[in-house]
């Protein structure tokens, strides 16, 4: 499965406007016959995490490319993009590989935690092994984005934090509130 994430880093004071614009983008996606995706607002976390994120899981890269083409062909979606560019200071669209399960369905207002693991590429095999040995589910970075987490842990990595730190990896925790569950 390919997990597409859009990371929106709002200009100061524009966090709520970015969130509203992303939900409007989901409305346009729906009108185009595309899945809405899931929109979440950061309620806790460092500057390495965006203020708003959008997530949609695809079975493969072909599905993600088809989705991108449908958006690119839509004047309504392009208008949303133009409006959004005025609201954010940074935008990243990393793709991650994920497991076959998307977890439990989320509702508006639900809160969940992610921990990003930032590490050198040379440390990735060892980090991956530590996570697997601990039974931790993680999204594994594939492409796109700059200075984004190499792994996103969907669980508490505290039991393996010392091992990760010994590899030079840095953990960045965040909490998210679901604003539009898709």
């Amino acid at each position: 499965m390919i997990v597409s994430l859009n990371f929106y880093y709002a200009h100061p004071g524009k966090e709520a406007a970015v969130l509203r614009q992303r939900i409007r983008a989901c409305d346009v996606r729906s009108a185009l016959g595309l899945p809405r995706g899931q929109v979440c607002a950061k309620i806790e976390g460092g500057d390495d995490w965006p203020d708003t994120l959008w997530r949609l899981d695809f079975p493969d890269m072909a599905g993600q490319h088809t989705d991108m083409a449908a958006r690119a062909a839509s004047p309504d979606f392009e208008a949303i993009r133009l409006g959004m560019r005025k609201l954010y200071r940074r935008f990243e669209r990393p793709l991650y590989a994920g497991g076959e399960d998307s977890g439990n369905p989320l509702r508006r207002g639900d809160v969940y935690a992610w921990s990003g693991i930032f590490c050198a590429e040379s440390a990735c095999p060892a980090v991956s092994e530590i996570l697997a040995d601990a039974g931790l589910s993680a999204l594994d970075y594939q492409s796109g984005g700059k200075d984004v987490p190499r792994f996103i842990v969907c669980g508490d990595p505290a039991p393996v934090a010392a091992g990760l730190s010994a590899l030079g990896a840095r953990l960045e925790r965040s909490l998210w509130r679901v604003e539009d569950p898709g």
Side-chain angles (χ1 to χ4, degrees):
M1 171 181 17
I2 299 297
V3 179
S4 180
L5 296 171
N6 285 6
F7 287 175
Y8 300 94
Y9 301 82
H11 284 297
K14 298 292 185 186
E15 295 84 359
V18 167
L19 182 63
R20 284 190 306 272
Q21 187 75 350
R22 181 61 249 186
I23 292 171
R24 281 189 210 107
C26 292
D27 295 340
V28 172
R29 289 181 57 81
S30 183
L32 294 171
L34 299 172
R36 293 182 69 81
Q38 181 184 86
V39 180
C40 298
K42 180 174 71 177
I43 55 177
E44 181 182 303
D47 289 341
D48 287 332
W49 284 105
D51 302 293
T52 296
L53 71 81
W54 175 81
R55 175 185 177 162
L56 185 62
D57 298 351
F58 295 96
D60 53 34
M61 284 303 296
Q64 197 267 346
H65 290 309
T66 300
D67 190 271
M68 291 281 292
R71 287 181 275 158
S74 168
D76 291 338
F77 201 84
E78 186 56 29
I80 290 288
R81 280 186 177 137
L82 290 173
M84 182 66 90
R85 288 181 187 128
K86 297 173 186 173
L87 301 173
Y88 63 71
R89 60 185 164 81
R90 178 178 166 199
F91 170 77
E92 300 291 345
R93 184 184 292 126
L95 298 175
Y96 288 84
E100 293 304 313
D101 62 336
S102 297
N104 297 325
L106 298 172
R107 299 175 310 261
R108 185 173 173 13
D110 284 353
V111 174
Y112 65 98
W114 274 359
S115 291
I117 299 173
F118 296 81
C119 63
E121 195 63 31
S122 60
C124 288
V127 168
S128 187
E129 185 176 326
I130 287 172
L131 295 174
D133 288 348
L136 292 171
S137 172
L139 300 177
D140 187 0
Y141 174 81
Q142 299 297 298
S143 67
K146 184 176 169 187
D147 300 323
V148 296
R150 179 57 178 81
F151 297 94
I152 298 176
V153 177
C154 312
D156 183 8
V160 297
L164 295 174
S165 181
L167 294 171
R170 177 175 55 86
L171 288 174
E172 184 77 31
R173 185 173 178 271
S174 62
L175 288 177
W176 299 90
R177 181 180 57 246
V178 176
E179 296 295 335
D180 189 323

